[in-house]
């Protein structure tokens, strides 16, 4: 079967290397032929191999699972690997690195450093004084509660909610929707012994649960469709009573 | 020169590396974990379907135990595995899963009462007892006697990775991402750490440690069509190989998964078939029962993959712009099941192919084709995880060949291996670091750093006409075409020759940007030669091995040849100027096996050239078993008599089960 020639598309990417003297931010246009099912992963890989071996971007799983490839596509943050070119009828895609994170180069930003700091800040782990005896039966968990924990554990730390967040622009130390969701996740986990008071100590301020202005672009853009609106509202209601 | 000193250095921040890092840190060692990417983005996250551990909680897994898991693993490996290691693994797996539960992995739990399930394409009712409700649930996967695969919907690897990474942060393991190990520091047959390139600043620095553990995953990206993440380039194995001392084991043992989606290569989990999904051909016919009447779609991965290609060769593939494929039909499981348990699968189909697999009939069928999926081979180690030739170098997870998978790995055993090996090897590794000091001089460290520095300058000074991306693509296509699912002597010989040529050509390139910082082409230019060395180990090992075993399938040598090939391939690169690896072999000792070689129970019969000792050992095993049973000994005592094994910590203790009497 032969493949019909695809349309010509234009990918315009921001290029800038802050570590090289004299480098200035600029948009560089790449014109290429669209192939069936082409995603930004395929397009950017092609650009690097055939047009510009110096273009930096991050992909790992290229399947929407690892959260590496968040970038701003025509003004909206999205996972590049799940961005289908065919969804852009004009055939023009303008790519920028996500704001709110330290720029490494071109489309690559340092989400890892930010997420680790957030994880430490909200103590993103099970707190439990009892050492589990792993030779014995596991403790039972209500299947519904396990499912509910899993739902909130689906966050992939891609940073899209942070890049979408108006509060983050005003408050550089805001833990972001990702951080608040993380607290909500441990709050529901029966293995975690922390109380509402303990969580209040972690996020009971304007860099935490009381900082959110409820603009909710986070929920609009979350590629995992996490219930950020409900969970932030729930946590705020729960923690405001402790204020 | 910047030297970072630590007690324990772990290279690779996926599940295996992080779990090993936690083990070392908990023993009081100052532990550093280096990772190419933020650790929560590691390829471990892509493991969808689940983790095998013989808990035996749910109805369909009741009665499961280590013995059954062991037998499935050994059969799956086509008797290529180290049975002692397989025993260590199956005994620790239930502990690993319980540890992870305590670390917050939200395992799907047993739900009391009846539910509909699809077994062998028929709706069946399964009823779970009240006393098991709330325990960890398991699902069916290919090649297993019981339903043994524990899961969190279809994002098991993701939740496990976050659980272990969070635990590492809690214990203050020093995790440093965007760091790439480019060579190992060693002196007098002992490894002392690594030369590392910072992928943000481009700087080279030394990490000097008492012990070094490589956990960098597999080498799937030496193939074109692969389910592996783009970072799975086998660099960890390559830098071990480049020491000239460490050896790699069974590199030709490469697994192909039956159901990646076409054309993107993104995996649709084994859980699709485990839960009852079926394979259909161009006529919509379910063809697997024709080839494998007993196991059907759930025969082991190597068998299903080959049957799919065989069926396509018989003219029954579905034509497409990307070549022929097969259909995977999970629509028969019903929308509710898919939207709950196979949601990531549904999302992948929708986003990348515009298909909703829950749609009834043909509209919901997903195009699939076998592609490279898993690397059974890796850095050859002892059961403790230490290299057999380079002291102080450990390896665990997919990067290692310790060797529990032999020539084929069972679904659900890899993600399980990551954490289990992280526990076992992590502790042996930590003990090594506690017992040994750093005795290397800084001048030697400087020499290793200077070598890498000079190498990068050399690359930037190349003025040839070759292109590194084209060389890489050629390597990947060559591996698919000649070192893939079906292999033969002619194709393998051609592959070895051309890979050797490609390796030479990597010095005839021209890197356009001369920057040492943020230069993706420079990164390719130093990685691709290492990938080619790994690819050469795969291809040459495959060329020499004139038999078919597990995933290594030779069309010119169709039988498994226990008489001549019951051994492990070792590849090494003793001289930096060599252009192909040195290949040697290590025999497997039948007389110490708990389970001597026999028929796997699936695939064609009569395809084994037997070893004379197999029958003799089987008679011994039978005699001992009968005698001890008559004396009233239990299964643990009999097992210990047949093949004793050790484990660190309290991992050797018995595993409690709900079904214990």
């Amino acid at each position: 079967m032969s493949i019909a020639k695809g349309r010509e598309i234009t990918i315009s990417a921001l290029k800038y290397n802050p570590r090289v003297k004299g480098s200035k931010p600029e948009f560089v246009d790449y014109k290429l032929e669209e192939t069936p099912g082409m995603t930004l992963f395929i397009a950017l890989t092609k650009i690097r191999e055939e047009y510009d071996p110096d273009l930096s971007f991050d992909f790992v799983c290229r399947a929407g699972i690892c959260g590496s490839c968040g970038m701003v596509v025509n003004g909206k943050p999205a996972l590049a690997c799940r961005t289908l070119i065919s969804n852009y009828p004009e055939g023009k895609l303008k790519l920028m690195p996500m704001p709110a994170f330290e720029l490494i180069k071109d489309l690559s930003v340092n989400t890892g450093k930010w997420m680790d700091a957030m994880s430490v800040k909200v103590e993103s782990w099970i707190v439990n004084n009892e050492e589990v005896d792993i030779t014995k039966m596991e403790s039972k968990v209500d299947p519904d509660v396990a499912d509910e924990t899993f739902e909130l554990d689906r966050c992939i730390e891609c940073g899209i909610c942070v890049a979408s967040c108006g509060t983050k622009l005003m408050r550089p130390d805001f833990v972001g929707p990702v951080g608040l969701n993380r607290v909500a996740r441990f709050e529901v986990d029966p293995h975690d012994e922390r109380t509402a008071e303990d969580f209040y100590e972690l996020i009971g301020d304007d860099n935490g649960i009381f900082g959110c202005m409820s603009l909710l672009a986070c929920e609009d853009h979350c590629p995992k469709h996490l219930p950020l609106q409900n969970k932030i509202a729930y946590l705020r209601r729960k923690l405001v009573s402790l204020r | 020169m910047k030297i970072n000193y630590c007690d324990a250095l772990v290279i690779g921040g996926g599940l295996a590396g992080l779990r090993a890092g936690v083990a070392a840190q908990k023993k009081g060692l100052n532990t550093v974990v280096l990772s190419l990417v933020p650790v929560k983005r590691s390829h471990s996250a892509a493991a969808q379907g689940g983790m095998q551990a013989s808990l035996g909680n749910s109805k369909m897994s009741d009665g499961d135990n280590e013995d059954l898991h062991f037998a499935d693993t050994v059969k799956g490996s086509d008797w290529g595995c180290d049975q002692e290691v397989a025993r260590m693994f199956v005994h620790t797996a239930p502990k690993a899963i319980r540890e992870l539960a305590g670390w917050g992995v939200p395992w799907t739990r047993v739900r009391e009462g009846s539910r509909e399930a699809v077994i062998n394409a028929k709706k069946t009712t399964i009823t779970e007892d009240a006393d098991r409700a709330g325990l960890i649930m398991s699902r069916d996967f290919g090649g297993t006697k019981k339903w043994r695969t524990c899961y969190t919907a279809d994002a098991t690897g993701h939740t496990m990775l976050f659980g272990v990474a969070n635990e590492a942060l809690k214990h203050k393991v020093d995790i440093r991402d965007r760091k790439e190990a480019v060579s190992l520091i060693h002196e007098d047959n002992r490894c002392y750490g690594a030369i590392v390139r910072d992928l943000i600043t481009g700087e080279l620095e030394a990490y000097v440690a008492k012990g070094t553990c490589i956990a960098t995953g597999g080498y799937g990206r030496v193939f074109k069509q692969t389910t592996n993440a783009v970072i799975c380039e086998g660099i960890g194995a390559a830098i071990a190989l480049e020491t000239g001392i460490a050896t790699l084991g069974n590199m030709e043992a490469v697994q192909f998964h039956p159901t990646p989606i076409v054309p993107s290569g993104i995996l649709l989990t084994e859980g699709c078939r485990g839960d009852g999904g079926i394979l259909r051909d161009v006529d919509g016919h379910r063809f697997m029962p024709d080839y494998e009447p007993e196991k059907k779609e759930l025969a082991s991965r190597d068998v299903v993959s080959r049957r799919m290609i065989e069926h396509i060769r018989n003219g029954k593939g579905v034509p497409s712009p990307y070549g022929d494929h097969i259909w995977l039909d999970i629509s028969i499981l019903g929308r509710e099941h898919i939207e709950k348990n196979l949601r990531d699968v549904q999302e992948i189909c929708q986003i990348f192919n515009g298909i909703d697999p829950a749609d009834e009939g043909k509209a919901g069928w997903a195009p699939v084709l076998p592609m490279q999926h898993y690397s059974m081979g890796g850095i050859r180690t002892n059961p403790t995880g230490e290299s057999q030739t380079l002291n102080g170098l450990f390896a665990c997870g997919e990067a290692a060949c310790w060797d529990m998978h032999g020539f084929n790995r069972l679904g659900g055993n890899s993600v399980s291996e990551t954490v289990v090996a992280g526990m076992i090897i992590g502790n042996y590794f930590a003990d090594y670091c506690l017992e040994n000091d750093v005795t290397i001089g800084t001048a030697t460290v400087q020499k290793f750093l200077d070598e890498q520095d000079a190498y990068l300058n050399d690359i930037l000074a190349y003025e040839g006409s070759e292109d590194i991306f084209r060389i890489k693509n050629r390597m990947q296509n060559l591996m698919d075409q000649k070192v893939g699912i079906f292999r033969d002597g002619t194709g393998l010989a051609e592959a070895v020759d051309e890979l050797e040529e490609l390796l030479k050509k990597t010095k005839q390139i021209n890197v356009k940007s001369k920057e040492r910082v943020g230069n993706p082409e420079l990164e390719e230019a130093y990685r691709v030669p290492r990938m080619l060395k790994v690819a050469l180990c795969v291809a040459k090992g495959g060329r020499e091995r004139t038999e078919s075993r597990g995933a290594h399938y030779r069309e010119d040598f169709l039988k498994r040849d226990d008489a001549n090939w019951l051994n492990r391939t070792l590849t090494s690169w003793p001289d930096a100027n060599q252009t192909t690896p040195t290949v040697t072999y290590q025999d497997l000792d039948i007389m110490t096996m708990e389970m001597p070689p026999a028929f796997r129970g699936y695939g064609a019969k009569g395809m084994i050239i037997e070893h004379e000792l197999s029958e003799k050992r089987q008679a011994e095993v039978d005699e001992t078993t009968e005698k001890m049973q008559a004396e009233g000994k239990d299964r643990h005592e009999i097992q210990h008599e047949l093949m004793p094994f050790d484990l660190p910590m309290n991992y050797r203790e018995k595993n409690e089960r709900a079904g214990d009497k």
Side-chain angles (χ1 to χ4, degrees), chain B residues 64-84:
Chain B
D64 201 4
N65 62 30
E66 298 85 1
D67 297 349
L68 298 179
H69 191 187
F70 172 76
D72 286 339
T73 302
V74 174
K75 279 183 204 169
S77 81
D78 223 353
W79 274 271
C81 75
D82 182 328
Q83 296 194 6
E84 187 187 338

Side-chain angles (χ1 to χ4, degrees), chain A residues 1-3 17 19-20 35-37 39 41 48-50 53-69 81-84 102 104-105 108-113 115-116 118-120 124-128 131-144 146-147 149-151 153-159 182 185-186 189 191 223-225, chain B residues 26 37-38 40-41 45-46 48 55 57 94-95 98-99 101-111 130-136 152-153 155 158-159 162 166-167 169-170 175 177-178 200-201 221 226-231 264-266 319-322 340 343-344 347-348 351-352 423 467 469 473 512-513 515 517-521 650-651 653-658:
Chain A
M1 224 187 280
S2 69
I3 302 166
N17 187 347
R19 281 167 192 82
V20 170
T35 52
T39 59
F41 166 69
R48 185 188 281 174
E49 290 186 2
E50 294 175 19
D54 182 51
L55 182 64
S56 291
F57 47 78
D58 293 320
F59 287 100
V60 177
C61 77
R62 55 79 174 93
I65 291 164
C66 77
S68 295
C69 62
C81 73
R82 299 202 333 182
T83 301
L84 276 169
E102 180 186 309
I104 294 175
K105 177 172 172 273
S108 172
V109 294
N110 203 337
T111 51
K113 186 177 165 188
M115 291 294 167
D116 279 357
M118 175 279 295
S119 292
V120 170
S124 161
W125 45 75
I126 295 286
V127 176
N128 189 326
E131 185 83 10
V132 177
D133 181 350
I134 57 176
T135 67
K136 297 282 182 292
M137 293 295 301
E138 68 273 19
S139 56
K140 291 187 173 183
V141 175
D142 180 329
D144 289 329
D147 287 354
T149 312
F150 169 70
E151 284 303 312
D153 208 36
R154 292 171 60 247
C155 168
I156 55 174
E157 294 192 357
C158 61
R182 192 59 50 81
R185 179 243 174 274
F186 285 102
D189 192 325
H191 293 97
K224 289 286 154 183
H225 310 296
Chain B
K26 280 176 108 170
V37 297
K40 286 174 179 165
R41 316 216 183 288
Q48 301 165 18
L55 297 180
N57 289 328
K95 297 181 180 75
R98 287 169 174 162
E99 177 177 84
W103 292 1
V105 176
W107 297 112
T108 299
R109 300 287 172 147
V110 177
R111 211 173 269 280
D131 65 331
R132 302 291 174 90
L135 295 173
I136 295 171
T152 55
H158 163 79
T159 58
F162 271 55
N166 284 331
E167 194 69 12
L169 289 170
K170 175 178 166 180
I175 297 171
D177 61 41
R178 294 182 189 265
I200 295 176
T201 65
R221 284 276 157 179
T226 173
T227 64
N228 284 193
V230 300
I231 53 172
S264 64
I266 298 167
S320 87
Y322 302 99
K340 174 137 185 292
R343 187 163 43 176
D344 274 10
E347 251 184 44
I348 289 164
I351 291 165
F352 297 95
M423 290 166 78
D467 178 277
F469 295 105
N473 278 319
K512 284 150 220 89
S513 163
E515 289 291 345
V517 43
N519 185 350
E521 191 181 15
N650 64 344
Y651 302 161
E653 286 180 29
K654 285 179 190 168
N655 296 302
E656 190 183 32
R657 288 187 180 79

Side-chain angles (χ1 to χ4, degrees), chain B residues 75 78-79 560 597-608 610:
Chain B
K75 279 183 204 169
D78 223 353
W79 274 271
R560 190 183 93 199
F599 174 58
R600 294 169 92 186
Y602 39 81
K605 285 188 179 145
M607 296 302 285
I608 304 169
E610 283 177 24

Side-chain angles (χ1 to χ4, degrees), chain B residues 350-363:
Chain B
Q350 285 169 333
I351 291 165
F352 297 95
N353 289 64
I355 295 165
D356 182 350
D359 281 351
E360 276 179 39
K362 211 174 164 180

Side-chain angles (χ1 to χ4, degrees), chain B residues 380-392:
Chain B
R380 178 71 189 127
T381 73
N382 294 325
T384 59
E386 189 175 11
S387 163
Q388 297 178 330
T389 42
L390 184 57
N391 300 331

